[in-house]
Amino acid sequence: MPETPTLADLVAPLGVSQFFQDVQGETYRRFEGPAGRFADLLPWPALNAILRQHRLEFPRLRLALDGTPVPMESYTDLVPTRRSGTVPRLQAAPFTEHLRGGATMVLDAIQELSDPIGDLARSLEHDLRESVQVNLYAGWGVTHGFDVHWDDHDAFIIQVAGRKRWRMHGPTRPAPLHRDVEQPERPGEPIDDFVLEDGDVLYVPRGHWHDVTAVGEMSLHLTLGFSPATGIDLVSWLADKLRSSTAFRQDLPRFGREEERAARAATLRAELEAALTGDVVDRFLAERDSSAPAHPRVGLPWAATPGLLPDGDETEVRFLVPRAVLEEGEGRVTLLADGKRFVFAGAASPLLKALLDGTPQAVKRLAELSELDRGTVRAFLGELTTQGLLSIG
């Protein structure tokens, strides 16, 4: 089975630390690679199976042409169900006719429909420390699916097959937000114009205007979007923390004397300054990571079977929380994951460290990493499975 690409693979030959320091959030960067290196992420038969086997409603599955959505009624039927309501059914002939006519197919959150892409999203969430959504774009014509635009998130674009023309216009407002006090100005002429080839990767920070055009041949790319934490996120988190303060919960003295309002402002300012400790960024990011949800992955039949794990120690398990946090000290190890807190004996530390990158691990190897006996290791893994943190197989 092909290995799941990591962040290091996507940004090579640049190192990950150099990417974080010099590129992320600052500028777009193209990373060239050999043709076919991402072909196993989504072979065409796998995409055809997704379209055939899933009920994909608009706007999750949609077509766009020259910046405008194609009416879903022109390629989708709504079929009555036996009980109530309707479900969408793709009409193959008009759907592919739109594609032949130059429409771009968009499928959102494809990481939920494909194991290789789901593993890629999990790997990048672990490396980037942010949740990742993967959208698919496929086209065959010479038109563009969307006009020049900017996105409110960062993105890696992976060219899985074919080619696509990209024109980069750069930013017109530093670090714009979806909800902002003003919108970025329209850009001028492109500052770069290139073709992203099969096997290439492109990183685009939020706020960088761009437009994408098909080149008259088949093209399939994945956009891996993620939103790095901002100061606005920190302030929102801090506001929730301040709910523990009586002064912040109390009504403001709207009808009080001027000196009362000034005194309340001084009290609020003092408590806010006290909360803004030197480690407030670290505290916020650690809690943000520890609250990130587990990826949905059910390990049937064993997850629903008493005993949970198969008898053989060759069974593989997989940790489902890419951004879990470990804290060690005083002979204990604390796991913060999926918004929960678990405290284990320090002997569990090697097992947890081996699990945390999310790659499949054999029960036998995990037992060898620790000083615990086989039965204790299996019971430990079973408890993680019960808590929804581990998947079997």
Side-chain angles (χ1 to χ4, degrees), residues 234 237-239 241-242 244-245 248 268-281 283-284:
L234 187 150
W237 167 80
L238 198 58
K241 293 294 182 184
L242 289 170
S244 63
S245 162
F248 273 91
L268 297 178
R269 182 170 59 249
E271 291 200 19
L272 184 57
E273 289 177 351
L276 289 170
T277 58
D279 66 345
V280 67
V281 171
R283 290 191 292 116
F284 164 61

Side-chain angles (χ1 to χ4, degrees), residues 49-58 60-61 76 79-82 84 86-90 107 113:
I50 289 172
L51 295 174
R52 183 175 67 252
Q53 296 171 359
H54 293 272
R55 294 171 174 175
L56 300 169
E57 297 189 29
F58 180 89
R60 186 177 190 182
L61 174 66
T76 304
V79 181
T81 63
R82 289 182 58 190
S84 62
T86 59
V87 296
R89 181 177 63 186
L90 202 63
L107 179 55
L113 305 172

